[in-house]
Amino acid sequence: MYAGKLCSAVIVAAGNGNRMRTSIPKQFLLLGTKTIIEHTVDVFLNCNAIDEIIVVVPQNSIDECKRLFSDVSVKCMAGGAERYDSVYKGIQSTSESCDIVLIHDGVR
């Protein structure tokens, strides 16, 4: 909680990374021993102000997302056709009692 308000973090990582020209979406590329998205989520997991984390990934990456975060409370969901669709879907999936929503790019 932040100042008594329920805070949700929506981490948008629904792109395919076409400009990277890799067979793996960039959010799932390894950076050291963890994927890029794991590094990003770790920051939010370690922030006491964040109550809920939602990771938005491509539809075909839902299982991979759930596997990566099976031991922590992270909600994985499919994104939309465009970035704004993915952001909107993430916001829609926040808790009804959510007061503050933070939007973060999953690979930045």
Side-chain angles (χ1 to χ4, degrees):
M1 290 217 161
Y2 176 78
K5 306 285 186 181
L6 182 72
C7 296
S8 298
V10 175
I11 301 171
V12 184
N16 292 313
N18 295 333
R19 290 177 296 184
M20 292 277 298
R21 297 186 181 173
T22 64
S23 60
I24 301 169
K26 62 184 167 184
Q27 60 270 35
F28 297 111
L29 292 173
L30 285 176
L31 183 60
T33 60
K34 295 180 184 179
T35 63
I36 293 171
I37 193 66
E38 286 176 288
H39 285 286
T40 301
V41 169
D42 282 350
V43 173
F44 289 94
L45 285 171
N46 291 311
C47 178
N48 293 332
I50 302 299
D51 301 295
E52 174 181 54
I53 300 172
I54 298 157
V55 179
V56 185
V57 295
Q59 176 65 48
N60 63 350
S61 299
I62 291 287
D63 291 339
E64 176 69 6
C65 182
K66 288 179 180 178
R67 185 189 66 74
L68 287 174
F69 303 113
S70 63
D71 60 337
V72 292
S73 182
V74 172
K75 182 178 183 180
C76 297
M77 60 169 306
E82 301 292 334
R83 179 176 169 75
Y84 64 86
D85 296 314
S86 298
V87 169
Y88 184 66
K89 285 183 171 194
I91 292 169
Q92 284 184 312
S93 69
T94 60
S95 299
E96 284 186 29
S97 58
C98 177
D99 298 302
I100 300 170
V101 179
L102 305 173
I103 308 297
H104 185 72
D105 188 306
V107 295
R108 299 289 186 275

